[in-house]
Each structure stands twice: as structure tokens, then as C-alpha cells.
Amino acid sequence: TSYRLCIMRKLPSVLARTLTSGSSGSPGLPDMAEVRRKLRDIVGASTNWRDHVQAMQERKALHTLLAKRQEDLPPRRMKDSYLEVILPLGSQPEIREKYLNVHNSVRFGRILEDLDSLGVLICYTHTKQEMQPRSPLSIVTALVDKINLCQKIIHPDCDIKFTGNVSWVGKTSMEVKMHMLQLRDGDYSPVLDASFVMVARDPENKRPAFVNPLIPESPEEEEIFKQGELNKMRRIEFSTASLLKMAPTAEERNIVHDIFLNTLDTRQVGTVSFQSRKLPPNSVWMEDAKLKALQICHPEERNIFNRIFGGFLMRKAFELGWATACSYGSSRPFIVSVDDIMFQKPVEVGSLLLLSGQVCYTENNYIQVRVHSEVYNANTREHHTTNIFHFTFTSENEVPQVVPKTYGGKYPIKSMLYLDGKRHFTAVMKEI
């Protein structure tokens, strides 16, 4: 199979024992409803939309609890933030409907929501002040670094267990490693690994705030922490080399030019021009490989800080990305990887959210989809980008080659999207 072998990254031995000790049933573990209840209690968020303004006003008083320096905060260990959470799809079938899709497997968009909530709770566990029931920190998702799957199907009638802990800490940010396992034949088997980056801000979610340092306790933990540093450097390098900042490499320029030459219509009578283009066999123009969606952001989808829940945005983006890949490949696609989701701007309740899914690269039976998310202000008619999502799917059959139609000396947008998609796809394939 072309799917990833889910190699569980080296965890501290105590965590690894806990992680792999699953057997039938998980008595006493909190479920996702408990995770969300704990988050509301930690922040002091109201479940009543009418009371949210007062609840946020009360948080202002927590400013006095913020540390002036990171050195003033007690260091924490990886196992201090370790959590296990159960999703009892098998033992509590009444919750199954929410997670079920038409193919009788689990909706991956719902899993994205759960991972986002769990990642925030893990960070609050790391930064918990023993004598304070409410945290002065506003912890939000800054980045989904990557989510790699090793199971094609997530079964809708078997319990799922999420585990995770803080794996790296900066001054105001934390990397969280999470794993998802599913109960099959009496044992929990790996389904996915996920890496999120969370940032801490003040009680009003306006300025950065310091978080507790992380102290590795063993060579295995030191390796995990070092990998967090390397992940940060990799993200910086990837961002520095972005096509939004630097011209394509010589190799990439040749790729785009070769595509252009292969699409010239040489049968045209007279001089061949830039406009005389023809679609190669078994190919699709990029402009014909996209879908769009509109979402009205209701209070129901708000998070504990009364912005639209990041997990909800990921679910909607994934579902549009899946539909884009499904329409393109004319068969059911399966998610292989999610990477490099940057939360650039919060989405306010009441926003008009515009989502645009674009197939930007294909290879064999793989489909790389980019989903662009923006909010539209009907009063000012302004658009603001909030997120860019990157999804790698595999289709049951080999798919047509997607081809950028525009070409010119300054490399128009479709060619840049193609090259960016190829970069993300290549990075994903390196881990298979």
C-alpha cells in the first residue's frame, strides 16, 4: 500500500507504555464532551451566547496572573501534559450518527474538530496554575503542521482513543503531538499522528503571553524536543522560500515551460502564438478543477473565545477539499495527509466565509488540493484571507493530469499554484 506506515515517534517510555497498553474498553477516560466542558471551565466561557460579552469582560481581571518573564513560571515535564481521551463510537452507539458518513466510515472533518479541541486542552494542562481554577491565558491554534494517516478507513463502530502531550515549547508557543488509535480485535491500532502549534495570548487574546518551559527528562524526550526545534526551522525555511517571496527555482521554471510547450497547438495554420493552446490527452485545465462554497458563521460554531472554532473551519475546508478531489477523480478519494494549515486571521461570528477548493497538482492516483478561506465584509465589500489548507488525497483510480493554462514571463497565478502544490506533495511523499 502507498499509505504511510504509522511509525509511532519515540515517546518517553512512561508515555509509550500508556499509549500501547490499550485493550478492550477504556474505563474512566474522559470523552470529547468532557474535553469541551473542561475548556469552558478553564476559560470561564458561557454556554449562553447572550452572556458572552460579560464573560469576556470578566476575563480582563486575570491580567494580573500573567507572568512577566518565562523564567518566573515553573518548568513542566512532557508527562505533565499527557492526556488520553476516548471517543466511544463502539460502546456508545448513540453518538455514532454525528461521526458517520455516507460510505459507512468516520467523517474525517469531525476528527479534525476533536484534534483541535484536544490540542488546546493539552496546552492548558501544561500551563495550569495549581491554585487558579481559571487560566489567564488565551490559547489558540496557530498552525496545523501535519497530520499523517496510516489507515484508509476509520471504522464507525469501534472505540477511538486520542493521546497527546506538549512536545516542544518556545517563549509563547507550544508544539503538541497527538495520536489517534482505534480498537480492533481487542487492541488499539494506530490511525494517525498529528502535530499542532498553539500560541498563548493574554486574557483578551490581544498580545502574546509567556508559557511554562518544558524540561526533557530522558534521551528519548530530548530527541522529541530537538525534533520540535527542527520542525520550527523547517517551517521558517519553507516560508522563506515561498513563491510569494522568491521566484521559482530553475528546475521549476523548466517544469512550467515544458507544460507550456506540451500544450501549444502546433496544428494551427500560420504562426503559433501564446494563445494557441490545446489540452493534452487525459488532462484537465486547472481552471476547470475547482469548487466553491459559502458558509454563514452562526454563534453555534463559536469557540470558547467567541470566535469561530478553528476545528469547524478545518472541517468545512476538508469537506470542500474532499468534494473537489471526488469531482476531479470521479471516484471516492481517501485522505493521506494534511499539512501547513496557517491560521492567519480569526473569523468573527456573523462572517460570510468563502471557501475555494482547487486541484493544484496530480500524480498517478494522488490529488493535491488547496482550499483558500476568506471572509467577506458585505458592508465594505472587502475580502480578507483567513486560512490556506493543503490536503493530499489518493483516488481509487489513476487521475487525469491537472494542467495550468496561463503562462507568461511573470508566471501567472495558476502556474504558481501548480508549483506550490507540487512542493507540498513532494514534502508529503518524502515521509511515505
Side-chain angles (χ1 to χ4, degrees):
T1 176
S2 60
Y3 272 80
R4 303 168 193 280
L5 297 176
C6 250
I7 301 172
M8 306 301 282
R9 287 161 176 76
K10 291 181 180 179
L11 288 170
S13 56
V14 63
L15 303 189
R17 285 198 300 273
T18 308
L19 185 66
T20 57
S21 63
S23 58
S24 58
S26 298
L29 290 184
D31 59 15
M32 292 310 303
E34 178 71 5
V35 167
R36 295 184 173 96
R37 187 193 65 76
K38 285 183 177 181
L39 286 174
R40 288 194 298 270
D41 290 346
I42 288 170
V43 173
S46 172
T47 56
N48 190 329
W49 169 245
R50 292 173 299 179
D51 299 334
H52 79 279
V53 174
Q54 180 183 346
M56 290 300 103
Q57 281 291 117
E58 292 173 354
R59 281 188 58 77
K60 290 183 179 181
L62 299 175
H63 269 281
T64 57
L65 301 178
L66 291 175
K68 299 293 191 294
R69 306 177 307 157
Q70 188 181 38
E71 293 76 14
D72 296 335
L73 294 168
R76 297 282 157 77
R77 303 165 296 178
M78 289 188 185
K79 63 184 179 183
D80 291 335
S81 62
Y82 180 77
L83 293 179
E84 288 189 354
V85 173
I86 192 74
L87 179 59
L89 297 180
S91 51
Q92 296 182 25
E94 62 272 14
I95 70 170
R96 197 177 298 162
E97 192 81 3
K98 176 182 175 181
Y99 286 83
L100 190 66
N101 66 25
V102 70
H103 298 289
N104 198 35
S105 60
V106 169
R107 293 171 62 182
F108 185 70
R110 292 292 189 194
I111 299 301
L112 292 176
E113 290 183 320
D114 290 345
L115 287 170
D116 194 49
S117 295
L118 178 59
V120 174
L121 182 59
I122 287 171
C123 288
Y124 273 121
T125 304
H126 173 83
T127 58
K128 179 178 173 58
Q129 298 184 21
E130 296 302 328
M131 303 304 294
Q132 296 295 334
R134 290 188 179 179
S135 173
L137 300 178
S138 300
I139 295 176
V140 296
T141 307
L143 173 74
V144 177
D145 190 18
K146 55 188 170 183
I147 303 174
N148 295 332
L149 287 93
C150 59
Q151 293 289 341
K152 198 171 186 179
I153 300 292
I154 305 174
H155 302 278
D157 55 354
C158 300
D159 283 2
I160 286 171
K161 181 162 67 174
F162 296 97
T163 70
N165 62 281
V166 171
S167 54
W168 173 86
V169 167
K171 292 287 186 181
T172 62
S173 60
M174 295 164 279
E175 180 190 80
V176 179
K177 293 283 190 189
M178 290 174 285
H179 309 278
M180 175 176 147
L181 306 97
Q182 186 156 43
L183 187 62
R184 298 285 290 168
D185 300 323
D187 289 310
Y188 278 103
S189 301
V191 176
L192 65 78
D193 295 335
S195 297
F196 283 44
V197 176
M198 308 289 185
V199 293
R201 301 175 69 80
D202 67 13
E204 297 178 81
N205 199 7
K206 292 182 178 180
R207 288 174 291 275
F210 293 115
V211 297
N212 302 68
L214 182 65
I215 305 298
E217 291 189 299
S218 67
E220 291 84 3
E221 291 189 0
E222 289 175 2
E223 185 64 29
I224 294 170
F225 192 90
K226 181 181 177 182
Q227 185 60 51
E229 289 281 0
L230 294 175
N231 290 341
K232 178 183 176 182
M233 297 305 300
R234 172 181 50 79
R235 290 191 293 268
I236 292 173
E237 290 173 4
F238 201 86
S239 175
T240 302
S242 167
L243 291 166
L244 294 172
K245 300 177 182 178
M246 295 183 65
T249 65
E251 180 184 0
E252 289 173 330
R253 292 196 294 270
N254 288 335
I255 289 172
V256 172
H257 190 248
D258 285 344
I259 292 174
F260 169 69
L261 294 178
N262 290 334
T263 57
L264 282 177
D265 189 355
T266 56
R267 299 170 300 175
Q268 186 169 319
V269 178
T271 305
V272 176
S273 70
F274 284 99
Q275 282 72 40
S276 57
R277 309 288 295 282
K278 65 178 179 64
L279 190 64
N282 194 34
S283 299
V284 176
W285 293 123
M286 278 185 69
E287 61 193 44
D288 298 325
K290 59 185 179 183
L291 291 177
K292 294 189 176 183
L294 165 68
Q295 185 71 39
I296 301 174
C297 298
H298 296 290
E300 177 187 6
E301 309 300 344
R302 73 189 189 277
N303 63 13
I304 52 179
F305 304 112
N306 293 294
R307 271 35 188 285
I308 294 301
F309 174 42
F312 171 77
L313 300 176
M314 285 193 282
R315 172 162 66 87
K316 287 300 178 182
F318 169 78
E319 289 173 351
L320 179 62
W322 184 93
T324 305
C326 182
S327 175
Y328 184 86
S330 300
S331 64
R332 179 185 178 186
F334 297 90
I335 185 68
V336 176
S337 181
V338 181
D339 79 304
D340 195 27
I341 298 177
M342 180 72 75
F343 288 80
Q344 300 178 18
K345 181 181 175 66
V347 177
E348 303 293 341
V349 172
S351 297
L352 295 179
L353 184 70
L354 305 177
L355 297 167
S356 179
Q358 172 73 68
V359 175
C360 49
Y361 183 76
T362 56
E363 189 172 306
N364 300 323
N365 63 330
Y366 287 101
I367 306 172
Q368 187 72 32
V369 178
R370 177 185 188 269
V371 177
H372 178 259
S373 166
E374 62 182 355
V375 289
Y376 173 66
N377 187 317
N379 296 323
T380 64
R381 297 181 180 272
E382 292 179 327
H383 294 253
H384 295 286
T385 296
T386 61
N387 302 83
I388 303 292
F389 303 85
H390 300 276
F391 303 107
T392 305
F393 294 95
T394 184
S395 183
E396 293 175 320
N397 306 309
E398 188 165 332
V399 299
Q401 181 181 6
V402 72
V403 180
K405 192 173 187 179
T406 54
Y407 181 80
K410 293 186 179 180
Y411 297 96
I413 186 170
K414 295 299 182 186
S415 296
M416 295 299 96
L417 289 177
Y418 180 88
L419 293 178
D420 186 59
K422 188 176 188 304
R423 287 184 179 185
H424 280 279
F425 177 77
T426 300
V428 168
M429 290 300 106
K430 284 181 178 178
E431 296 189 21
I432 289 185

